Amino acid sequence: MRDRTRTFSLRTAVALSCALALVTPGRIDSQTKITVDKNKYTPAQDVQVGQEAAAQVRKELPLLKDELVDEWVDTVGARLVTAIPPEFAHKEFRYTFDVVNQKEINAFALPGGPMFLNRGMIEAAKTEAEVAGVMAHEISHVALRHGTAQATKAEKFQIGAILGQIAGAAVGGTLGGIIGQGSQIGLGTYFLKFGRAAESQADILGAQMLARAGYNPREMANMFKTIEAEGGSRGPEFMSSHPNPGNRFNAINKEADALKVQGNYSTGDFTRVHSRLTGMSPALTAEQIAANNKKGTAPSPTASGRTVRVEPPASQARTYQPARFLRVSVPANWQQQQTSDVVTYAPEGGYTADSSGRTSFTHGLQVGVAQGGTGDLQRDTTALLQGFARSNPGLRSSGSRREAIGGRNGLTTILSNTSDATGQSESIAVSTTHLKDGNVLFLVGVAPSSERPVYEDAFSRVRQTLQIRD
Ligand SMILES: [Zn+2]
């Protein structure tokens, strides 16, 4: 069993590995040079936000805690950490590796170093180097600080909104915000869903690290093929958090051509680990994990498919300031939750987990900023709605109307959707207005269709009283 002492000694070992990386050979000239994105946060902030999120993850996901398996991933992980190029090795970072007893093929890493690998991913791999490939990719996101770099780009919401609030992602005791499945209407998360540029960088740096650690980088490309082939109705979660930047396999193989694999490393334990895993009782599905969490002491989301009874919006208002430039007055019985890239105002019971453990937001309002760019509110709004429609395939628009939002020209679009969580029809009001920098401030009001009149009234008051000072 993995106890505290062991975890501590692992961290020490990895920290030493970071120091050793400073004396390992420098880059080979033909390999691709990586330029890091602008980041206004400190590495210490990466560590803080990552640790808070990791604590939440450890509460919600069943860790496998098998000594043989843990030692093996720790050894592979430590080996890869020594292969981080010195310019990307942050002394504050502590890379840790936990195996989650979950069936779906997935892995994710949090800022500052905590990584979680699903048992299903190891079982699907054919070689140690394939697992190392996914781990090298994840370590690259951490080392290049992609999570906080994304937060830097979305400057409108300060990191204060993210730091210390990450636990809010666990509202309703869900797996949602944390592991990148996001709320149904949300836009994903800063830390776990990456853009194409970040994906390319993690593929390239991952390949370089693999070669330095003695693994063939082409095995990473092979593993991505296996993951893509996995499919499923929504596709593998890994691929939605790590989208193919285009031509992924060729790009990795091309980089591999420029690299010299330094030795031929293997712990030699993959076969033993693999047969141990496949011989255990089956890993839990996301659905089973969500059901177990509901039984636990975590704040329990309402059972899937049940009619949710939620107190109607209070007539008194309460004002929040989710960002420097914004004041929002919402019904006094709604609580503010700042999770990743949106701020949600919802009454108690306003979130529900569906059968696969994804969190749906069923009552309340979300506020966020999306990238604008066309200068035309209708066109920017259409792009935003298309984004929502990708994660909510049942979304149908019943038309837009011009309506002032916080005293500015705005658009309100009414949509209908079938809630994944309750199976019931819901009414969604999306209001948009331009900020001075051309980006789009949006408000998304969600309520069951049967309760639409009372919620529409509440949403309308929020739109009228919104104060924007950008
Ligand atoms: Zn990625």
Side-chain angles (χ1 to χ4, degrees):
M1 294 289 278
R2 186 173 223 210
D3 57 23
R4 281 170 184 280
T5 325
R6 226 179 73 68
T7 306
F8 179 75
S9 62
L10 163 72
R11 287 189 180 158
T12 312
V14 174
L16 285 173
S17 310
C18 288
L20 286 175
L22 297 170
V23 295
T24 55
R27 61 166 74 250
I28 299 162
D29 281 332
S30 50
Q31 70 183 37
T32 307
K33 285 195 167 48
I34 293 169
T35 328
V36 290
D37 291 340
K38 216 172 88 189
N39 196 320
K40 66 176 179 182
Y41 304 104
T42 61
Q45 285 177 305
D46 280 48
V47 172
Q48 188 194 339
V49 76
Q51 288 300 325
E52 286 177 22
Q56 198 61 42
V57 169
R58 291 192 179 101
K59 262 191 248 164
E60 295 185 5
L61 295 183
L63 300 185
L64 186 69
K65 293 180 180 152
D66 177 273
E67 194 159 359
L68 174 72
V69 179
D70 280 344
E71 289 215 3
W72 175 72
V73 292
D74 286 351
T75 308
V76 174
R79 178 91 188 170
L80 291 168
V81 169
T82 62
I84 299 173
E87 64 269 37
F88 304 130
H90 303 284
K91 63 180 187 319
E92 300 89 340
F93 286 13
R94 293 292 176 273
Y95 291 89
T96 54
F97 308 92
D98 280 303
V99 177
V100 181
N101 190 20
Q102 186 174 341
K103 185 169 182 277
E104 287 81 7
I105 299 184
N106 202 7
F108 62 96
L110 296 165
M115 188 190 298
F116 296 86
L117 296 123
N118 279 7
R119 179 181 149 193
M121 203 270 290
I122 302 171
E123 287 187 37
K126 293 181 209 71
T127 61
E128 175 173 310
E130 288 193 351
V131 179
V134 170
M135 292 170 76
H137 178 97
E138 296 292 338
I139 291 173
S140 299
H141 280 307
V142 174
L144 296 170
R145 306 182 58 216
H146 283 152
T148 43
Q150 294 198 133
T152 301
K153 275 186 213 138
E155 278 163 358
K156 286 298 170 187
F157 286 96
Q158 308 136 346
I159 193 108
I162 301 162
L163 281 171
Q165 295 283 352
I166 190 115
V171 65
T174 72
L175 307 167
I178 292 284
I179 60 169
Q181 294 182 328
S183 63
Q184 293 299 300
I185 201 79
L187 295 179
T189 72
Y190 281 131
F191 302 129
L192 299 166
K193 282 199 173 177
F194 299 106
R196 286 159 164 253
E199 283 310 302
S200 286
Q201 284 191 342
D203 286 351
I204 297 300
L205 182 59
Q208 294 172 0
M209 283 169 44
L210 286 167
R212 289 171 63 137
Y215 293 109
N216 185 343
R218 292 169 207 278
E219 302 244 21
M220 174 166 64
N222 294 344
M223 188 65 201
F224 284 146
K225 275 202 168 137
T226 303
I227 295 172
E228 280 200 355
E230 183 69 5
S233 60
R234 289 170 197 253
E237 184 59 35
F238 185 89
M239 283 299 155
S240 71
S241 327
H242 301 271
N244 187 332
N247 218 6
R248 172 167 249 162
F249 314 106
N250 292 343
I252 294 170
N253 286 323
K254 192 162 162 269
E255 186 69 18
D257 290 342
L259 297 167
K260 185 175 178 333
V261 181
Q262 297 178 13
N264 182 11
Y265 181 77
S266 164
T267 62
D269 281 340
F270 178 74
T271 316
R272 264 203 323 149
V273 165
H274 197 268
S275 59
R276 184 168 179 108
L277 290 176
T278 49
M280 289 176 182
S281 58
L284 302 173
T285 63
E287 192 176 335
Q288 289 166 327
I289 295 168
N292 289 346
N293 281 352
K294 271 183 226 162
K295 282 184 238 148
T297 50
S300 49
T302 315
S304 175
R306 231 201 292 149
T307 306
V308 185
R309 287 220 57 83
V310 176
E311 207 183 291
S315 49
Q316 293 87 355
R318 184 167 166 193
T319 302
Y320 292 92
Q321 186 163 12
R324 247 180 313 221
F325 70 100
L326 195 65
R327 291 170 78 88
V328 185
S329 297
V330 298
N333 61 337
W334 292 5
Q335 306 295 320
Q336 175 174 277
Q337 290 286 348
Q338 288 181 298
T339 59
S340 62
D341 47 1
V342 290
V343 185
T344 305
Y345 300 94
E348 199 178 327
Y351 301 84
T352 304
D354 73 6
S355 55
S356 60
R358 290 177 172 84
T359 307
S360 283
F361 154 60
T362 57
H363 297 70
L365 186 83
Q366 284 187 331
V367 182
V369 175
Q371 205 172 12
T374 70
D376 180 276
L377 188 60
Q378 179 72 64
R379 267 193 288 171
D380 281 350
T381 301
T382 303
L384 176 72
L385 295 175
Q386 283 166 349
F388 289 150
R390 276 195 286 276
S391 47
N392 298 270
L395 206 58
R396 297 286 173 269
S397 167
S398 47
S400 298
R401 59 170 189 263
R402 300 220 159 257
E403 184 190 342
I405 313 293
R408 296 185 181 190
N409 288 331
L411 269 182
T412 291
T413 308
I414 304 295
L415 305 109
S416 63
N417 190 36
T418 303
S419 166
D420 270 9
T422 63
Q424 293 175 348
S425 159
E426 60 187 4
S427 173
I428 298 170
V430 179
S431 299
T432 48
T433 189
H434 269 142
L435 294 171
K436 280 190 185 140
D437 62 7
N439 286 331
V440 177
L441 177 75
F442 63 85
L443 283 73
V444 180
V446 178
S449 297
S450 56
E451 297 167 55
R452 182 181 155 185
V454 58
Y455 277 87
E456 181 45 45
D457 197 41
F459 299 151
S460 164
R461 280 201 303 271
V462 178
R463 292 194 284 265
Q464 285 161 17
T465 56
L466 194 72
Q467 294 175 43
I468 313 168
R469 303 239 164 76
D470 58 333

